[in-house]
DNA sequence: GTTTATGCAAAGGTTTTGCAAGTGG
DNA sequence: CCACTTGCAAAACCTTTGCATAAAC
C-alpha cells in the first residue's frame, strides 16, 4: 500500500500541503479499511498505528484529501459518509439491502445512460462514485436470507 | 395536496398506524415544501400549521413514513437528508454542483442500465431515488455562473 | 524562523431516547 | 379502555472550532 507513497507526497506538495506522519497514517488507514471506510473505522485503524492521533485530525485530513482528489466521499445508506481512495478506474457500488454485501461495477456500464442524460437534458453527470441499492444475486434467489 | 388523504390514511391503517393530526400536518408539510424537503424545512412548515408540534415527532414520523413507503429519503450534497413524497412515477435527480439547481429525470432513462446490471451481475437495482451530480446545461456553457 | 498542522477541550448542532400525559380506534 | 403517539427534557452523538504547542519546510 506504500509503493505510491511518493506520488501521494508529491500531490500534497503540489498543493502546498505538508507531509506529516499523521497524514500518511490516515492515508494508510483509508487503504487498510478498504472500499467503504467510515470515519469511525478510519479513526480506529489509524489509532492502532498512532495511538495519539486525534479525531479532529482525521476530520481535517480527510477533508483536505478530498479537496486534492486523493480521496472521495459518498453517502451510503445508514452509515453516514464513507471514504475511499481515488483509483485510476472510476467505479460505482451495488449495495444489497438484504445481506449488506457491496460489490463494485465499472463506470463504463453507466456511461450510455450518462450520455443519454447529457443529450436529453444537457446535464453533464460527474458522479464519480454512485451507490445503487437493491438485491444481490444470492438474496434474490433464496428467501431464507431475510 | 389533500385529494389523496384517504389513500394515505388507508396506508397508515393497513400498517397498524394511527392517523393523528400531527401526522397529517407533517405529510402536508412534506408536500408543501416540495421536492427536497430537509427536516428543518419540514419542521418549520409543520410548525406554522401546528405551533405545538415537536421536533422528535417530526423525526419519528418521517421514519415511520419511510418505512411504509409513503416518503423516501435521500442524501443530497451538503444539506443532509432530504425527504420527498413517493409519487406514482419513480424519478431521479440531477444536482448541479455549480448553481445548485435540481431537476428531475424519469426513471425510464435509467432502466436500460439497471437491466444491464441485472444481466451482468444478477443485481436487482431498487434505487427509487438516485442523485446524480454534475453540471447543468446553463453552467456548462457560461463561466459567469460561479 | 515561518508557516502549517496537531491535540486538546469546549462548543455547536443534530438526532435519539425515556417517560408521563394525551388521544385515536 | 388499551395501545399507540406525543411533547418535553435530557442524553447521546457527531462534527467543528479556538488556541497553545509542535513539527515541516
Amino acid at each position: 500500500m506504500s509503493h505510491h507513497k511518493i506520488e501521494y507526497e508529491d500531490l500534497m506538495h503540489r498543493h502546498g500541503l505538508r507531509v506529516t506522519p499523521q497524514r500518511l497514517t490516515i492515508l494508510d488507514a483509508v487503504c487498510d479499511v478498504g472500499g467503504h471506510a467510515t470515519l469511525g473505522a478510519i479513526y480506529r485503524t489509524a489509532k492502532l498505528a498512532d495511538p495519539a492521533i486525534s479525531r479532529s485530525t482525521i476530520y481535517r485530513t480527510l477533508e483536505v484529501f478530498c479537496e486534492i482528489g486523493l480521496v472521495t466521499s459518498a453517502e451510503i445508506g445508514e452509515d453516514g459518509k464513507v471514504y475511499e481512495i481515488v483509483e485510476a478506474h472510476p467505479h460505482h457500488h451495488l449495495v444489497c439491502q438484504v445481506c449488506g454485501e457491496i460489490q463494485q461495477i465499472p463506470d463504463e456500464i453507466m456511461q450510455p445512460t450518462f450520455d443519454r442524460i447529457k443529450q436529453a437534458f444537457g446535464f453533464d453527470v460527474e458522479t464519480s462514485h454512485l451507490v445503487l441499492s437493491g438485491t444481490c444475486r444470492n438474496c434474490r434467489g433464496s428467501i431464507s436470507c431475510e
Side-chain angles (χ1 to χ4, degrees), chain A residues 53-91:
Chain A
I53 208 163
S54 115
R55 248 194 159 81
S56 20
T57 300
I58 312 277
Y59 280 107
R60 290 185 280 222
T61 301
L62 288 174
E63 191 184 338
V64 161
F65 283 176
C66 285
E67 277 169 14
I68 66 176
L70 228 179
V71 162
T72 47
S73 66
E75 299 276 355
I76 292 194
E78 307 303 303
D79 289 334
K81 200 178 269 186
V82 294
Y83 299 87
E84 191 173 77
I85 296 287
V86 173
E87 294 171 37
H89 293 294
H91 60 271

Side-chain angles (χ1 to χ4, degrees), chain A residues 37-52:
Chain A
T38 61
L39 192 131
I42 295 167
Y43 176 62
R44 266 172 266 122
T45 306
K47 199 93 178 173
L48 295 177
D50 174 4

Side-chain angles (χ1 to χ4, degrees), chain A residues 24 35 47 74-75 80 118 144:
Chain A
L24 296 179
K47 199 93 178 173
E75 299 276 355
K118 195 167 183 175
S144 60

Side-chain angles (χ1 to χ4, degrees), chain A residues 105-131:
Chain A
I105 56 171
D107 181 55
E108 291 83 53
I109 209 168
M110 301 298 297
Q111 281 308 323
T113 294
F114 290 172
D115 289 346
R116 209 169 317 124
I117 289 172
K118 195 167 183 175
Q119 283 171 30
F121 304 98
F123 189 95
D124 205 358
V125 177
E126 284 153 18
T127 302
S128 58
H129 193 171
L130 209 57
V131 180

